[in-house]
Amino acid sequence: MPSTTGSVAIEAIELTKRYGSETALDGISLSIPTGTVYGFLGPNGAGKTTTMRLLTGLSTPTSGEARISGTPVDDRRALVPHVGYLPETPPLYEEFSAREQLEYVADLRNIPPETARSRIGSYLERFELADDAGKRINSYSKGMEQKTAFIQSVLHDPDVLFLDEPTSGLDPRAARTIRQSITEFADAGTTVFLSTHILPVVKEVADTVGVLFEGRLVAEGTPDEVKERAETGAGSTLEDAFLAVTSDVDVVAEATAEGDG
Amino acid sequence: MNLRQDLRHGGRIGRAEFVRSVRGYTCDTRRILGLAVALLFFGGNLLFLLPPIYVLGRSVRSVSTIPYFGPAATLLPVGLFLLGALRTMERLGSVDTEDLLLTTVHPRAVVVGLITAEIGRLLLWFGIPLVAIAGAFAVGLGSPVFLVTAGIVVVPIVCCMAVWGYAVGIWVLRILRRLPTVRRVLKVGGILALISIVILSQVAARYLVTGNVSIETLLSLISLTPLVDYLALGFVGTPISATITPTAVVILVTWIALTPVGLAVAERQATALWFTDDPVRNVTTDTLSETTGSSGGFSPPQPFSWTKAGRIAWGHLLRAVRHPQEFSHLLMLVFLVGPMAGTFFQSSSGERFPVLVAGTGVLFGVYLSGATFGLNPLGDARPQFPLVLLTETTPRTFLRGRVVAGLAIGLPFTILVPLASIAAGSRPLYGITFATVGTGFSLIAALFALGLGCAYPIYEERELWGAETVAPSTLVLISYSFVVMGGTIIGLGITWFGLTGNLIVTGILVGGLSVYLLPTVGLPILSYWYSQRRYRRYVLD
């Protein structure tokens, strides 16, 4: 089970990432409590994937620091039991079957074989993959691949789960399965860092929303708070708020400052 | 009107494809450096070639006295046709963004575009040296007009053979699509044929040198007079111009007439290929296929199951067997070992033959131990790095997994071939010693490969036999081959001298052995240490 001893699951202080003269991420600070589903929004190229890579230790920041469950992200060995990461492109071996892939990953994660078999069996059933678990992944649909990758990212019961567009391109049934799983994991104490463009998903599952624009966090709060701060008027949607905060940064910065003040 | 529009579209597609290729050749510093090295090497050779060509131009008195003109006139169209067909089968059978192009322009435009781009690429690679050679000859001949006339004569051949090569290549692809079993057999057969050709070419060359058959006699057999007469048209207006024969004119008309016919055939073939489906669903998309299934989970056999590195190694082996394109870079071995093997086996006497077999087996096994899985560990695992780097398994274990997988491929050759040589007449001591020494070299090669591969990882996937695969850098491959094969040959030589009692312990010998053993053992250890460091600090920037 995920640890719930620390109150802050994800902590980032002034994270900055530069590629030459280009700034991909400009001093992001985050403090996300344990058990939160954090919806991470932003237009294409805003720096969402860069942020996730920095928070998972897969990339190094130009400056700033980050901790996951109190563990510095640059201590990869100590970090790995705490995090599960599902990148936008599922990291799967196409030549394996789903069962082979998951048993292989369980071995790499030092999960005892009996526990692994039981968990894998249970997840395969839950994600309706049991009948196809023996087929090679190169014969899978995108939804099946995504579900397999999702299972492998949670197989070790991580404290923090990073999901990059987990429902993108999925049919409604598969997308719902993933959404329900996100909620269930959060209820069990897992912190979920969810990056997506699909705003209804965020609205449905996220406790807190952060909006990234041009490498800066331009809005943060509950979905309702973000809508309020964006001043998009009564009856506005999260989409309206998103469009507002990612089109006029100065206004939003002021609104956020006022809100904080 | 339609034809003109298709040709215009085709020209645009050809230009776009050509520009894409050129940008691909020069997209990063590594490729530019590679091109610069190739340019230096081949450019230097060309510079040395030009003076003799100039002298030839000055001395030649008639077309028939130009060395190998007859065979060249025959082989030129045949070679162009085969090149076109093979390139089509390998790469030009489809185009990137096929869905876009086929829903935007007529297939004929796509065919014209692909062929135009290919001719452009051909000119880019071979145009400048050919013009330089023809120019040197023309200056020697005292007739610069030769450059123009030769060009006019060659263009119809190139166009005609390009479209027919494309048409036949597409036709073969259609046949192979209907016969998937034949396609699979051809893939394996093709590699075996390549190996055979490389080895047999050495035997043939040796036979030509030592035998009674002259190469001129052989080449004269493949000279077709009509094609020779046609190519001689290129000398019209020069001092060595011969009479224009009616046959030459007929051939010219044939090239010109066959080009649009070939284009029509190519278009029909391509349309049939692009707009029809496979008779059976491809296994890569067949969700119901039983052939792609695996009954159990991930259960490596013993001894792989004993350690985690062994289980990781089994994962590599399993995936490689299911995706054999991962081994494509090992074809380099064919070109390295093929010529040597041909020469060795021909020159060896009956007594030495088993020892040479044992040595070759060791060499083969040592090479494979490192080259199979060790030459691009960061590159070929990159898509899975978000997974593997975030597991509890240490980089050392992953790297050891690669070592074990490499040894699992290499050691059977290293050990079994020398032992089998005992049955062929080698002394047991020789066979056992070669196997023992070879085992050590295999481990050394596997460790050395890891550091070399980590120093220069390659991430770009390229399509090979219908599958995307990431091959190690050619530079890494050549360096590895040079160091490992050189070091192994020296080591085996020392072993052989030791076994036959020809090693006399002197100060020079001890010094020499120290100089040899220090890098042989030290370099792989350093290399392994470096690979761990690179792996541990790796980030996805």
Side-chain angles (χ1 to χ4, degrees):
Chain A
M1 289 297 292
S3 79
T4 52
T5 48
S7 59
V8 177
I10 302 173
E11 187 179 19
I13 303 162
E14 290 292 316
L15 270 186
T16 300
K17 181 71 178 178
R18 289 195 193 91
Y19 296 102
S21 59
E22 187 193 343
T23 302
L25 216 55
D26 192 5
I28 294 281
S29 292
L30 296 167
S31 181
I32 301 171
T34 299
T36 304
V37 177
Y38 189 89
F40 197 46
L41 306 177
N44 292 330
K48 299 191 298 295
T49 300
T50 303
T51 308
M52 296 184 100
R53 284 185 171 177
L54 291 175
L55 292 176
T56 49
L58 290 171
S59 186
T60 46
T62 309
S63 64
E65 57 184 83
R67 290 171 180 273
I68 302 296
S69 300
T71 306
V73 294
D74 55 2
D75 186 352
R76 199 177 273 165
R77 193 188 295 268
L79 176 74
V80 290
H82 298 291
V83 297
Y85 178 34
L86 172 61
E88 193 172 2
T89 306
L92 299 167
Y93 295 105
E94 290 192 334
E95 302 84 2
F96 278 168
S97 67
R99 193 180 292 280
E100 284 175 331
Q101 171 86 25
L102 295 172
E103 289 187 7
Y104 181 68
V105 173
D107 188 20
L108 298 181
R109 291 224 176 259
N110 296 338
I111 301 172
E114 281 308 311
T115 314
R117 259 193 291 278
S118 147
R119 275 189 205 170
I120 289 166
S122 147
Y123 277 127
L124 288 173
E125 287 291 341
R126 182 167 153 192
F127 284 89
E128 298 173 351
L129 285 172
D131 291 342
D132 298 308
K135 290 175 188 155
R136 293 209 194 135
I137 290 170
N138 63 8
S139 69
Y140 278 18
S141 65
K142 180 172 171 53
M144 292 162 81
E145 284 186 6
Q146 195 75 353
K147 287 192 283 189
T148 308
F150 184 85
I151 295 172
Q152 79 178 7
S153 66
V154 297
L155 209 52
H156 58 301
D157 272 344
D159 297 332
V160 181
L161 184 55
F162 290 91
L163 304 173
D164 197 350
E165 298 290 355
T167 56
S168 169
L170 298 188
D171 65 47
R173 182 186 293 273
R176 175 179 283 186
T177 311
I178 299 272
R179 282 201 311 271
Q180 285 173 343
S181 300
I182 291 171
T183 310
E184 286 167 21
F185 276 105
D187 290 344
T190 305
T191 308
V192 181
F193 192 88
L194 171 67
S195 166
T196 181
H197 284 119
I198 306 172
L199 300 180
V201 174
V202 176
K203 193 181 169 214
E204 184 181 330
V205 302
D207 305 310
T208 308
V209 172
V211 183
L212 195 67
F213 183 62
E214 292 183 345
R216 284 183 291 155
L217 197 63
V218 293
E220 193 178 37
T222 64
D224 288 337
E225 283 171 350
V226 170
K227 278 192 280 183
E228 255 176 50
R229 287 178 191 181
E231 295 178 339
T232 44
S236 67
T237 62
L238 187 60
E239 185 178 73
D240 296 329
F242 173 79
L243 292 173
V245 298
T246 56
S247 58
D248 193 345
V249 182
D250 295 335
V251 170
V252 176
E254 281 172 24
T256 309
E258 283 169 18
D260 292 342
Chain B
M1 183 62 189
N2 284 343
L3 177 65
R4 189 184 298 171
Q5 180 172 287
D6 290 343
L7 289 177
R8 189 174 65 78
H9 286 154
R12 188 68 195 83
I13 293 168
R15 204 160 71 234
E17 290 294 314
F18 179 74
V19 169
R20 284 182 61 209
S21 297
V22 172
R23 288 181 183 168
Y25 302 146
T26 56
C27 66
D28 56 39
T29 315
R30 180 176 59 83
R31 290 184 191 220
I32 293 170
L33 273 175
L35 282 176
V37 170
L39 194 67
L40 274 175
F41 181 75
F42 291 110
N45 284 344
L46 183 66
L47 284 179
F48 283 106
L49 189 67
L50 292 180
I53 296 285
Y54 168 77
V55 172
L56 180 68
R58 283 186 69 88
S59 59
V60 75
R61 291 289 168 263
S62 70
V63 174
S64 60
T65 57
I66 298 172
Y68 307 116
F69 182 74
T74 310
L75 290 175
L76 177 68
V78 175
L80 286 170
F81 171 77
L82 288 176
L83 184 69
L86 291 172
R87 281 281 295 164
T88 302
M89 289 170 63
E90 183 220 5
R91 190 168 284 263
L92 304 177
S94 64
V95 58
D96 294 343
T97 66
E98 186 175 286
D99 292 344
L100 167 71
L101 288 180
L102 293 181
T103 53
T104 309
V105 297
H106 192 272
R108 184 198 285 150
V110 180
V111 170
V112 171
L114 289 175
I115 294 174
T116 307
E118 187 62 4
I119 292 175
R121 284 187 281 261
L122 195 71
L123 285 176
L124 181 70
W125 289 111
F126 300 107
I128 294 171
L130 287 177
V131 167
I133 289 170
F137 189 80
V139 172
L141 208 57
S143 184
V145 74
F146 171 70
L147 266 180
V148 179
T149 52
I152 291 171
V153 166
V154 168
V155 165
I157 305 179
V158 172
C159 291
C160 184
M161 290 300 100
V163 291
W164 279 100
Y166 188 81
V168 170
I170 293 276
W171 176 73
V172 175
L173 285 176
R174 286 184 62 204
I175 300 270
L176 292 177
R177 186 160 77 172
R178 292 187 166 276
L179 303 167
T181 312
V182 174
R183 188 170 52 193
R184 282 193 288 273
V185 169
L186 273 180
K187 280 178 186 173
V188 179
I191 295 170
L192 293 177
L194 183 66
I195 295 169
S196 309
I197 287 169
V198 172
I199 294 173
L200 287 177
S201 66
Q202 303 305 310
V203 178
R206 194 175 176 82
Y207 181 70
L208 283 172
V209 171
T210 58
N212 296 322
V213 182
S214 77
I215 196 162
E216 283 79 8
T217 315
L218 280 177
L219 287 174
S220 67
L221 294 175
I222 53 170
S223 296
L224 293 177
T225 309
L227 293 175
V228 176
D229 285 353
Y230 171 72
L231 205 62
L233 287 178
F235 294 93
V236 168
T238 70
I240 59 169
S241 171
T243 317
I244 299 174
T245 65
T247 323
V249 177
V250 169
I251 293 290
L252 172 64
V253 172
T254 307
W255 293 138
I256 293 171
L258 279 179
T259 302
V261 177
L263 185 61
V265 174
E267 179 205 324
R268 287 177 70 100
Q269 293 295 331
T271 305
L273 183 75
W274 293 334
F275 291 98
T276 53
D277 295 318
D278 286 5
V280 290
R281 291 183 69 190
N282 194 316
V283 288
T284 58
T285 56
D286 187 357
T287 53
L288 300 175
S289 171
E290 290 303 317
T291 57
T292 59
S294 308
S295 54
F298 184 72
S299 39
Q302 292 180 340
F304 292 100
S305 61
W306 293 344
T307 62
K308 190 181 276 188
R311 296 193 288 276
I312 289 171
W314 181 250
H316 282 298
L317 293 168
L318 208 57
R319 292 196 298 273
V321 168
R322 292 173 182 179
H323 186 189
Q325 289 88 340
E326 280 188 19
F327 291 120
S328 62
H329 62 282
L330 298 178
L331 280 177
M332 168 86 76
L333 186 62
V334 174
F335 297 101
L336 289 168
V337 173
M340 273 196 295
T343 312
F344 269 6
F345 292 130
Q346 275 196 302
S347 59
S348 62
S349 62
E351 265 180 38
R352 284 189 182 172
F353 185 75
V355 178
L356 281 171
V357 168
T360 307
V362 169
L363 199 59
F364 199 61
V366 169
Y367 184 89
L368 290 178
S369 297
T372 313
F373 295 105
L375 287 177
N376 195 20
L378 297 175
D380 59 29
R382 187 177 163 98
Q384 285 78 33
F385 267 159
L387 166 73
V388 297
L389 291 180
L390 293 178
T391 64
E392 284 76 354
T393 303
T394 60
R396 189 173 57 185
T397 313
F398 280 115
L399 290 166
R400 283 182 181 174
R402 285 183 180 272
V403 171
V404 174
L407 291 177
I409 298 285
L411 282 185
F413 292 97
T414 310
I415 295 172
L416 296 180
V417 175
L419 294 183
S421 73
I422 297 171
S426 174
R427 287 189 195 174
L429 176 67
Y430 293 175
I432 291 166
T433 309
F434 267 57
T436 309
V437 170
T439 303
F441 275 121
S442 295
L443 181 63
I444 282 171
L447 295 177
F448 174 64
L450 289 175
L452 196 62
C454 282
Y456 200 13
I458 297 292
Y459 303 113
E460 298 96 348
E461 286 192 335
R462 64 190 175 92
E463 190 171 319
L464 191 80
W465 299 329
E468 294 288 329
T469 187
V470 183
S473 147
T474 308
L475 191 65
V476 165
L477 205 53
I478 290 173
S479 306
Y480 172 84
S481 305
F482 179 75
V483 172
V484 168
M485 297 195 99
T488 308
I489 288 170
I490 292 171
L492 289 178
I494 294 169
T495 307
W496 171 247
F497 279 116
L499 284 171
T500 50
N502 290 322
L503 273 189
I504 300 158
V505 182
T506 61
I508 293 174
L509 178 72
V510 173
L513 274 179
S514 306
V515 169
Y516 169 71
L517 285 174
L518 196 68
T520 303
V521 177
L523 207 57
I525 291 171
L526 273 177
S527 181
Y528 177 57
W529 170 82
Y530 171 73
S531 66
Q532 285 190 65
R533 191 165 176 269
R534 281 294 303 264
Y535 212 101
R536 197 166 44 240
R537 297 183 177 191
Y538 191 79
V539 287
L540 296 171
D541 279 340

